[in-house]
Amino acid sequence: MSNVRARLLAVLLVLCGVLTVTGPPSATAGTALATAVPDALAFDGTPLTVSGGRFVDATGREVVLRGYDVSGEAKLAENGGLPFASVADARKSATALRALGGGNSVRFLLSWAYAEPVRGQVDTAYLAAATAQMGAFLDAGIRVYPDFHQDLYSRYLFDPDSWYSGDGAPQWAVDLGDYPDESCGICLFWGQNITQNGAVKAAQYDFWHNAHGLQDSFLAMAEQTMTYVRQHLTAEQFAGVLGFDPYNEPYAGTYDSGQTSRTWERDLLWPFYVRFRARMDAAGWQDKPALVEPNLFWNANIDSQRQEGGLLDAGTLGSRYVLNTHFYDQKAISAILMWGKAADGQYVTDFGTVRDRAAAAGTTAVVSEFGHPLTGTVADKAPTVLKAMYQSLDSRVKGADWWTTPAASGPVLSGQQWQWDIYHGRHHELMNGNPDKVLTAADAWNDEDLSAVRLDDSGQVTLRQDARLLDRLYPSATAGTTLAFTYEDRSRDGSTTLTWNPVPASLPNVAQLVGSGQYGLLAWRSNGTAAPTELHLPASFPTASTTVVSDLGTVHAPPAYTGATGIAAAPEPGGTGSRRLLLTAPDSGTVHYALVTNGATAPSASLLAAARTELSAWAAQKLG
């Protein structure tokens, strides 16, 4: 990213246009462009840290990470356990993820099997390829956190003619166990192998009990991997690496006599994380958090699956650990436990549990996987399920109640949607090495179809879901503490536009300004940080059609940022063409608000002023 300033300036020049602005003197039309965007607006050469229960950047701003898991391709053998066939494909994917998907971060999948195919020997060719692919995302201004991924422990547990497959541990690790022939019995979903397949259960049990020194080998491999990544990224790239996810979806396999899910977390899972944390420190990752997952059934939404946990006995996690969990609506996926579609507020309780647990542990949280099948018998639920999940990441208050009780919103959660696989529908995977079972369709993994993207016939990355749902307005960096946030994306379920958070009739001028457009509203308390608050601007918010109503002023078609503008637009780092809205308020202890909408066409000064009056009164009453 050595040419980031030149790229940012080039995009800034494109943003110039005719501007209509009302408000304080700092928000004036036709402001001259500076020679470059200040350093605080690019990757600033320092990592994010965890402080006060938030991700915080070097300027003291509260950061929200949104993006995708990259990618389930790493589960497959066709590209040697890598997310991409080449660095060029990684660059193409990163550009699209930023510009089309609105992401500023990815969870980047790695494979133990390919990192250590021979016990005690890491494959530096694999690590070199994986590191170069990570670099493509970091160069696009996208923060990365690697994940040693596993599902069903290992592909080498499964027979060539099996109905299912796994990923994770190398063959030598499986050979040590002399496990029984795998069988899931009557299983409708691949995930049932976790609790029903004797081979999978026994292998997981062995790992957590360090049988044959398996865990020791994994940790040694992890340290070598992290050392390699640090040494082969530039300092600026490594600053964009958030931390490391040690182990995907941990589960006991089977419990010892008298053991519970909670005591398993206390006695086996948490000590593993402490050991992994020490390996991070030894590898030079001491300033980056471990993003640790509780047992995978902790926050399940089916009572028969839900288990006590959430690392309850780990004490205060603090700045060196992040609570990292997943969420899938198993009721909706089951087809029989939830007959209808998701509705406004469907998951506010589930995601509220994540917020509460992170707060009690003295850290922040990330929902590093969430999603829903896009084909099959339950695919018709996907538009509403995904909208409800994003809604609950934004706020713990459902849309119908948000304008009445915005102060109950809670922090905006970071999250990664599963998944971003550009090879969707174009795979060539020999399932379990079987040349007679070549998988090409969907995600080429146990009949899953969750990728948000694919390559079209011309080789261009194309969204498979509504862009209004995926490319969202969100506060990527807040100069202070977020008090409340909501985003009405107006995404679609077929031909129906979903509006779960309409502007109330008590704010008629705001409602007129928004009309049938999309809108978001952020309220925050400043903390004296000089750097601006930033919101990602979706492609559906072109600068010329974006309106902002704030206590900082009112602006239609925000001017380009110069470092001295109260409300402005600027490119996001990485040269992908994505943009952000900047709100500068270098005071402390003040409650600010900003409504951002694309629903207005050349709004009058009187309408902007009336909307501002309404919002100011609302903020004073509801936010204090």
Side-chain angles (χ1 to χ4, degrees):
M1 291 176 56
S2 59
N3 295 323
V4 66
R5 293 181 183 174
R7 290 200 299 267
L8 289 171
L9 178 57
V11 181
L12 271 174
L13 292 172
V14 176
L15 289 173
C16 293
V18 178
L19 308 174
T20 302
V21 184
T22 63
S26 60
T28 57
T31 304
L33 289 174
T35 57
V37 174
D39 289 343
L41 299 184
F43 264 3
D44 53 23
T46 60
L48 295 184
T49 56
V50 178
S51 178
R54 306 287 195 274
F55 288 119
V56 176
D57 70 9
T59 68
R61 295 179 299 178
E62 176 183 303
V63 171
V64 171
L65 302 173
R66 289 290 176 86
Y68 305 84
D69 289 85
V70 176
S71 76
E73 172 70 14
K75 298 183 182 184
L76 309 181
E78 63 181 359
N79 282 323
L82 292 165
F84 301 98
S86 66
V87 175
D89 278 2
R91 290 195 187 103
K92 176 188 288 188
S93 187
T95 298
L97 188 145
R98 196 86 152 120
L100 299 179
N104 66 356
S105 59
V106 295
R107 180 172 177 249
F108 191 97
L109 274 61
L110 296 174
S111 168
W112 178 16
Y114 287 93
E116 190 186 12
V118 177
R119 189 172 196 177
Q121 299 178 27
V122 297
D123 186 338
T124 55
Y126 173 78
L127 297 184
T131 302
Q133 292 183 12
M134 283 185 220
F137 283 82
L138 294 162
D139 288 346
I142 297 170
R143 294 192 181 270
V144 170
Y145 58 103
D147 151 50
F148 276 122
H149 208 79
Q150 71 81 35
D151 284 296
L152 309 184
Y153 190 69
S154 175
R155 67 185 291 117
Y156 300 106
L157 286 171
F158 292 85
D159 301 324
D161 61 349
S162 176
W163 289 4
Y164 303 105
S165 187
D167 78 296
Q171 184 164 4
W172 61 259
V174 172
D175 291 344
L176 289 171
D178 191 26
Y179 300 115
D181 190 43
E182 63 86 16
S183 174
C184 193
I186 301 175
C187 288
L188 299 178
F189 305 102
W190 70 262
Q192 291 176 266
N193 283 273
I194 298 168
T195 56
Q196 293 180 221
N197 190 317
V200 172
K201 293 165 64 178
Q204 290 279 27
Y205 180 92
D206 279 357
F207 180 84
W208 296 115
H209 288 78
N210 199 22
H212 316 291
L214 286 168
Q215 198 175 112
D216 294 337
S217 292
F218 177 87
L219 291 167
M221 176 276 307
E223 181 180 339
Q224 290 177 274
T225 297
M226 289 185 283
T227 299
Y228 187 96
V229 169
R230 178 181 59 80
Q231 292 176 342
H232 290 82
L233 293 174
T234 68
E236 187 178 16
Q237 288 174 329
F238 190 58
V241 176
L242 173 65
F244 213 109
D245 182 345
Y247 198 92
N248 178 69
E249 296 183 351
Y251 184 64
T254 56
Y255 294 121
D256 291 319
S257 177
Q259 193 176 54
T260 66
S261 57
R262 177 170 177 172
T263 58
W264 174 78
E265 283 192 354
R266 182 194 67 196
D267 297 338
L268 292 173
L269 181 61
W270 180 247
F272 166 74
Y273 287 148
V274 172
R275 296 181 73 198
F276 192 96
R277 173 73 263 180
R279 297 288 185 157
M280 290 180 68
D281 295 348
W285 292 53
Q286 60 269 21
D287 295 328
K288 300 178 185 295
L291 295 96
V292 294
E293 302 185 32
N295 83 76
L296 80 114
F297 293 121
W298 164 67
N299 201 33
N301 70 333
I302 297 178
D303 289 340
S304 61
Q305 286 187 345
R306 195 186 312 271
Q307 296 185 2
E308 187 180 24
L311 305 176
L312 287 170
D313 299 299
T316 300
L317 300 184
S319 62
R320 287 170 54 80
Y321 299 92
V322 167
L323 180 69
N324 171 14
T325 189
H326 299 172
F327 184 80
Y328 294 92
D329 185 348
Q330 300 297 337
K331 293 180 181 178
I333 293 173
S334 74
I336 58 174
L337 296 178
M338 186 180 105
W339 291 102
K341 298 182 180 182
D344 176 23
Q346 188 87 20
Y347 307 117
V348 294
T349 299
D350 299 294
F351 284 62
T353 298
V354 176
R355 287 178 171 89
D356 291 342
R357 181 68 201 111
T363 188
T364 190
V366 58
V367 182
S368 63
E369 283 189 30
F370 62 94
H372 189 81
L374 300 182
T375 56
T377 58
V378 299
D380 65 312
K381 302 177 185 180
T384 57
V385 166
L386 268 296
K387 178 181 173 73
M389 289 179 178
Y390 274 112
Q391 178 195 54
S392 297
L393 287 172
D394 290 343
S395 172
R396 67 188 303 159
V397 179
K398 68 179 184 178
D401 298 335
W402 192 88
W403 286 94
T404 304
T405 57
S409 285
V412 181
L413 283 175
S414 295
Q416 269 62 48
Q417 181 178 333
W418 184 274
Q419 66 160 324
W420 189 273
D421 176 15
I422 63 173
Y423 306 119
H424 166 86
R426 297 176 179 272
H427 294 282
H428 189 83
E429 173 71 3
L430 279 61
M431 184 175 179
N432 299 318
N434 188 342
D436 296 324
K437 295 186 72 173
V438 180
L439 306 182
T440 60
D443 299 342
W445 168 261
N446 289 337
D447 296 322
E448 283 200 340
D449 181 2
L450 284 89
S451 179
V453 292
R454 65 179 181 88
L455 293 176
D456 65 18
D457 291 341
S458 68
Q460 298 301 307
V461 181
T462 304
L463 295 180
R464 299 180 62 232
Q465 296 174 269
D466 187 351
R468 291 186 168 218
L469 172 71
L470 300 182
D471 188 11
R472 308 178 63 79
L473 189 82
Y474 62 91
S476 52
T478 301
T481 302
T482 299
L483 300 177
F485 176 70
T486 190
Y487 180 51
E488 180 49 82
D489 57 39
R490 312 261 195 199
S491 56
R492 300 173 182 85
D493 179 11
S495 60
T496 301
T497 298
L498 301 172
T499 302
W500 291 352
N501 190 358
V503 178
S506 58
L507 302 171
N509 291 290
V510 175
Q512 181 182 343
L513 184 69
V514 169
S516 60
Q518 298 166 289
Y519 81 87
L521 199 156
L522 172 68
W524 73 101
R525 188 180 302 278
S526 62
N527 65 354
T529 301
T533 290
E534 301 184 15
L535 292 97
H536 168 71
L537 283 175
S540 59
F541 282 71
T543 305
S545 302
T546 296
T547 301
V548 183
V549 177
S550 171
D551 65 294
L552 303 175
T554 60
V555 179
H556 179 68
Y561 183 73
T562 67
T565 308
I567 302 173
E572 289 177 313
T576 62
S578 58
R579 297 162 303 111
R580 54 192 160 170
L581 181 73
L582 306 177
L583 306 164
T584 303
D587 47 35
S588 182
T590 303
V591 174
H592 297 287
Y593 68 84
L595 172 81
V596 187
T597 183
N598 61 5
T601 301
S604 67
S606 60
L607 177 59
L608 292 173
R612 185 183 184 193
T613 297
E614 288 178 351
L615 285 172
S616 293
W618 169 85
Q621 180 185 22
K622 301 298 183 181
L623 300 170

